């Protein structure tokens, strides 16, 4: 682990990838495998896509099912977590009495939050959203109690909490959620659970058989090391009838009122296909070769890295030690406890920017004379001057930075990040836009989203 592992990836010389969490990074060997299959497809496109791809995809479903401890029949792949969240919410049939509610926390990933808004709007408000607001730092018991209260409030007000969306690890701020306890509450209360585990697989253990969520999606191209984009979508057999269509609807869909036949391979002696598996097997012509690398990734993580526990222990320790060091350099603090009770490979660190004069509503003048947010100025400057990228985001009236620990990073990279951030914060005051130049005030948290 550490800098020697950089040779297994394709980073440019001098580039420090301190933001693994947003888009991940895949080892060269795994991308080579995907490229080999892609080249093979180009030699015989129709036979490969129609017959060989489904067989290879079946192998990936088998490997992922064994890895997560659930039957292959419950596993399919989609391009990303947002696609799966859309698939679930757009397939649910809402009651026409207008009492159904989607329960979610205020730290829901922005795209998923907008999906909730769209579904409510498209249903002409026969379904509505109920948001749970949190004040950090918040321990697990507070989050679970707030969740229970939201369900109780929904019912006492005459509504019906149909489905709840929550994270394994939220994006911004990056904090481990008590998703196990929240799933148990959903079971007890008869509420469907939709777990957005975009930052789950490869970062924390996921035991789906014991967890038993109603729906779960996790991006494999982040912490699991597949090429982009690839996400595992888990739906237990009891709920598969709810997922009538993929997004977009394609050949696997079986209409109730039509005898349309799929042109794809509908029978395969190697796999007794279910309607659910067939539905997600082919969703239009896309580059889904990342789906076929699952078994290779599992072997690579074991043979090259020493297995899941070794990866999680290294990254967890690095996150704790590195996060403390950056906070020490900046003279600030981290958000949440950095201890072994809640392992996570991302850490949020408060930036030393005065809330009154340099807070989330302040603007900075760019090199071209244009005004931009503090976060955007810092991120663009990181790219142009420091060959790195660290997500800077507003939260609860202050600016924070999120750093990712990974197998190719060492504590010296966190040390470097701390001094770089300190210098950037000191430079900001030189570029501040006066209130008279600023015009209309920028509202905190409403205009700025950073990637997952």
């Amino acid at each position: 682990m550490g800098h020697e592992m950089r040779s297994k990836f394709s980073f440019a010389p001098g580039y420090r990838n301190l933001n693994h969490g947003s888009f991940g990074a895949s080892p060269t060997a795994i991308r080579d495998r995907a490229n080999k299959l892609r080249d093979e497809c180009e030699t015989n496109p129709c036979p490969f896509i129609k017959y060989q791809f489904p067989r290879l995809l079946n192998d990936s479903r088998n490997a992922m099912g064994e890895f997560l401890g659930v039957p292959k029949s419950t596993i399919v792949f989609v391009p990303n977590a947002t696609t799966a969240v859309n698939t679930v919410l757009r397939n649910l049939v809402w009651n026409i009495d207008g009492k159904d509610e989607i329960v979610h926390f205020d730290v829901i990933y922005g795209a998923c939050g907008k999906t909730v808004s769209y579904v409510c709007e498209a249903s002409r408000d026969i379904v509505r959203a109920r948001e749970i607001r949190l004040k950090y730092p918040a321990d697990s018991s507070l989050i679970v109690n707030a969740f229970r209260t939201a369900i109780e409030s929904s019912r006492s007000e005459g509504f019906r909490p149909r489905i709840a969306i929550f994270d394994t690890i939220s994006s911004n701020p990056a904090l481990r959620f008590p998703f196990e306890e929240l799933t148990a509450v959903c079971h007890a209360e008869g509420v469907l659970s939709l777990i957005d585990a975009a930052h789950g697989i490869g970062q924390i253990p996921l035991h789906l058989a014991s967890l038993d969520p109603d729906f779960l999606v996790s991006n494999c191209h982040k912490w699991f090391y597949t090429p982009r984009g690839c996400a595992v979508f888990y739906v237990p057999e009891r709920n598969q009838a709810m997922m009538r269509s993929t997004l977009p609807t394609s050949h696997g869909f079986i209409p109730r009122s039509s005898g349309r036949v799929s042109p794809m391979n509908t029978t395969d002696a190697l796999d007794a296909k279910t309607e659910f598996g067939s539905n997600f097997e082919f969703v239009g012509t896309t580059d889904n070769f990342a789906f076929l690398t699952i078994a290779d990734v599992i072997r690579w993580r074991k043979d090259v890295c020493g297995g899941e526990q070794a990866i999680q222990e290294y990254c967890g320790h690095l996150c704790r030690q590195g996060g403390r060091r950056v906070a020490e350099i900046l003279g600030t603090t981290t958000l949440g406890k950095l201890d072994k009770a809640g392992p996570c490979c991302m850490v949020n660190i408060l930036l030393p920017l005065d809330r009154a004069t340099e807070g989330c509503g302040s603007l900075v003048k760019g090199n071209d004379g244009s005004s931009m947010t503090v976060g955007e100025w810092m991120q663009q400057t990181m790219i142009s001057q420091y060959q790195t990228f660290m997500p800077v985001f507003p939260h609860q009236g202050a600016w924070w930075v999120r750093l990712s620990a990974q197998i190719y990073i060492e504590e010296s990279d966190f040390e470097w990040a701390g001094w770089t951030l300190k210098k950037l914060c000191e430079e900001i005051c030189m570029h501040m836009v006066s209130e008279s130049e600023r015009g209309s005030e920028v509202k905190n948290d409403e205009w700025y989203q950073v990637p997952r």
Side-chain angles (χ1 to χ4, degrees), residues 282-328:
F282 182 85
V283 187
T285 305
T286 56
D287 188 331
N288 287 337
F289 290 94
F291 295 4
L292 309 182
T293 64
I294 299 298
D296 301 276
V297 168
I298 293 172
R299 283 193 295 270
W300 193 91
R301 292 170 70 87
K302 181 179 179 181
D303 296 344
V304 178
C305 305
E308 298 306 307
Q309 185 175 348
I311 294 171
Q312 290 164 11
E313 286 182 353
Y314 178 83
C315 294
H317 175 78
L318 178 60
C319 180
R320 292 188 294 272
Q321 296 299 109
R324 290 190 184 101
R325 179 58 184 142
V326 174
E328 181 183 357

Side-chain angles (χ1 to χ4, degrees), residues 26-49 52-53 56 221 226-230 285-293 296:
S26 58
T28 306
I30 303 301
R31 291 201 317 283
D32 287 346
R33 169 63 176 161
N35 289 334
K36 182 179 179 181
L37 291 169
R38 189 175 286 108
D39 291 342
E40 187 177 341
C41 176
E42 291 304 316
T43 64
N44 297 279
C46 290
F48 189 98
I49 294 171
Q52 190 170 349
F53 185 93
L56 294 171
H221 57 256
T226 70
R228 305 175 197 93
C230 175
T285 305
T286 56
D287 188 331
N288 287 337
F289 290 94
F291 295 4
L292 309 182
T293 64
D296 301 276

Side-chain angles (χ1 to χ4, degrees), residues 171-187:
S171 292
N172 291 303
L175 291 171
R176 194 184 193 282
F177 251 59
F179 62 94
E180 300 95 336
E181 293 94 327
L182 295 174
T183 305
V185 172
C186 286
H187 279 306

